Amino acid sequence: MMVLSASRRFRSLWAIRGLRRGQRTKRMDWKLEGSAQKTESRVLQEHEITLDDPGEDGVSESFQLLQIDVGCEHWEQETLPTGSAAWCSKNVQRKQRHWEKIVAAKKSKRKQEKERRKANRVENSGIYPQHSKRFLRSLIKERLLEAKHSGPRLCIDLSMTNHMSKKELSRLAGQIRRLYGSNKKADRPFWIYLTGFTTDSPLYEECLRMNDGFSSYLLDRTEEDCFSLFPLETLVYLTPDSDHALENVDLNKVYILGGLVDESIQKKVTFQKAQEHSVKTARLPIQEYMVKCQNGKNYHSEILTINQVFDILSTYFETQNWPEALKKGVSSRKGYVLRNSVE
């Protein structure tokens, strides 16, 4: 009797395992699946009739083991962290706090910038308060085109960019952008020429890359040299190495700025070029209206960027006041201050 009970228990467990295997396998043929279901149902019927108490205990134990396995898997899924918020190291928490501070600082900076712009709009509300942006753009265009026919002329000599590095070209492209922006804001703008400027040059590519809308700038671009584009007697080359100080801005003259950014600081490059073509030279009257001031580095320089020189020329042309113009273009970092401020 004990032997029959063990065999029946074995057959019942085998039938249950077959049933579980049949449930997992879903690729079987319909005929095989149907015959397997008939066989399993017949075995289960025999098992229900002939199964005694020890067999029932064994089957219940197997089911209990299955329930324990499923419960363990479910418990492991619940206890594992599902996100970064569940658990993280101190290093991760420190980086998270640092990033939150950066984001908060950026938001605060944007808010301050927004308030500053709002204050500027309120302060400058008296300037064309009734006009739209389209009208202001058309007004700027009208002024620039008027300067082309009757305004002062400024030429930027870009024929010396062949030996400049990419960094120097980028700085020069930025100076051209700032110069053009200042000219648009001026009440009495200049008409600007970019001479010795070819469309296949690295400088042209830098200008397109750094300056939005550069191709639509209202100015003249030409591959010709400034010395062949204008009569030589009308040219005045502005260079800090000249012995003659500029006294006035003459509408009949064409003023030339050397488009040169040279970190190696080669002296008298523009001056020698002007001498080769027998062109008059002039320097800004910094020595006449400004004096050297003491600074920590004992640094004094009259070399300015082309946009700084243009700011001085433009301010003087509007105000006819050299001290005011020099104050706008020559920063204290150059080591010069106005004579009146010292006195």
Side-chain angles (χ1 to χ4, degrees):
M1 186 66 182
M2 294 298 294
V3 175
L4 291 174
S5 299
S7 62
R8 291 173 183 173
R9 183 185 303 173
F10 177 78
R11 281 187 300 173
S12 62
L13 291 175
W14 179 84
I16 293 171
R17 291 175 181 174
L19 179 60
R20 291 172 58 195
R21 188 181 301 109
Q23 292 176 351
R24 287 195 304 266
T25 308
K26 296 182 180 180
R27 300 178 183 176
M28 295 179 62
D29 189 73
W30 287 102
K31 187 181 291 184
L32 293 176
E33 185 176 359
S35 61
Q37 290 178 354
K38 291 180 181 179
T39 305
E40 289 171 356
S41 61
R42 186 171 60 253
V43 173
L44 287 174
Q45 290 176 358
E46 295 177 357
H47 168 67
E48 291 176 355
I49 297 173
T50 59
L51 192 61
D52 54 359
D53 294 339
E56 291 176 355
D57 295 338
V59 175
S60 61
E61 289 177 359
S62 62
F63 277 115
Q64 289 177 359
L65 290 174
L66 292 174
Q67 291 177 356
I68 291 172
D69 292 338
V70 174
C72 289
E73 292 177 357
H74 181 68
W75 179 79
E76 289 176 357
Q77 292 177 358
E78 290 180 349
T79 56
L80 288 175
T82 57
S84 59
W87 178 87
C88 57
S89 63
K90 292 183 178 180
N91 189 26
V92 175
Q93 293 177 1
R94 179 180 58 81
K95 291 182 178 180
Q96 181 68 21
R97 289 193 298 267
H98 179 66
W99 173 250
E100 290 175 355
K101 289 181 181 179
I102 293 176
V103 173
K106 288 183 178 180
K107 289 182 179 179
S108 177
K109 187 176 180 179
R110 285 195 295 267
K111 185 177 179 180
Q112 293 176 0
E113 182 67 17
K114 187 176 180 180
E115 292 177 354
R116 185 185 65 81
R117 290 179 180 177
K118 184 177 180 181
N120 289 339
R121 286 196 298 269
V122 173
E123 182 180 356
N124 300 327
S125 59
I127 304 176
Y128 312 115
Q130 72 280 12
H131 299 313
S132 63
K133 292 183 179 179
R134 179 180 297 180
F135 177 82
L136 295 178
R137 285 196 295 267
S138 63
L139 182 62
I140 292 172
K141 182 178 180 180
E142 182 181 351
R143 286 178 177 175
L144 291 175
L145 294 178
E146 183 180 355
K148 182 176 183 180
H149 301 288
S150 59
R153 292 169 292 178
L154 180 71
C155 175
I156 303 177
D157 182 12
L158 300 176
S159 61
M160 298 175 287
T161 60
N162 296 330
H163 303 289
M164 292 170 57
S165 64
K166 183 176 178 58
K167 180 181 178 181
E168 293 170 344
L169 291 174
S170 298
R171 292 177 59 185
L172 181 57
Q175 294 175 17
I176 294 174
R177 180 186 68 248
R178 288 188 286 272
L179 186 151
Y180 182 75
S182 298
N183 193 44
K184 288 198 306 180
K185 297 177 182 178
D187 294 333
R188 303 175 66 185
F190 284 60
W191 184 250
I192 300 173
Y193 298 86
L194 301 181
T195 61
F197 190 52
T198 58
T199 56
D200 58 349
S201 62
L203 177 61
Y204 183 79
E205 297 178 357
E206 280 297 304
C207 289
L208 290 178
R209 184 182 68 86
M210 296 184 60
N211 306 340
D212 295 336
F214 175 76
S215 57
S216 61
Y217 279 9
L218 289 176
L219 46 76
D220 280 339
R221 307 175 187 85
T222 177
E223 297 182 2
E224 292 187 60
D225 194 87
C226 57
F227 304 106
S228 60
L229 187 63
F230 305 99
L232 295 180
E233 62 272 11
T234 63
L235 298 180
V236 178
Y237 212 116
L238 298 178
T239 170
D241 300 311
S242 176
D243 296 329
H244 306 285
L246 183 64
E247 298 179 357
N248 197 4
V249 175
D250 190 352
L251 294 177
N252 297 321
K253 298 293 184 179
V254 179
Y255 297 94
I256 305 174
L257 295 179
L260 179 64
V261 177
D262 185 15
E263 294 185 348
S264 61
I265 311 179
Q266 299 179 10
K267 295 183 179 181
K268 297 187 177 182
V269 176
T270 55
F271 180 77
Q272 292 175 358
K273 187 172 184 180
Q275 291 291 319
E276 291 175 1
H277 293 84
S278 302
V279 171
K280 294 180 181 180
T281 62
R283 57 174 174 81
L284 295 175
I286 296 178
Q287 302 175 7
E288 285 72 17
Y289 293 93
M290 307 186 79
V291 294
K292 295 181 180 180
C293 63
Q294 295 181 356
N295 51 42
K297 297 182 179 180
N298 195 22
Y299 173 76
H300 305 88
S301 176
E302 298 182 25
I303 300 176
L304 305 176
T305 61
I306 59 174
N307 59 292
Q308 290 173 338
V309 175
F310 174 77
D311 288 340
I312 295 173
L313 293 177
S314 177
T315 304
Y316 175 78
F317 186 64
E318 293 180 4
T319 62
Q320 297 296 311
N321 189 324
W322 278 117
E324 183 177 348
L326 292 171
K327 182 179 179 181
K328 184 175 181 179
V330 181
S331 64
S332 59
R333 292 177 297 179
K334 293 294 181 178
Y336 285 91
V337 294
L338 293 174
R339 292 181 181 274
N340 297 336
S341 61
V342 175
E343 294 175 359

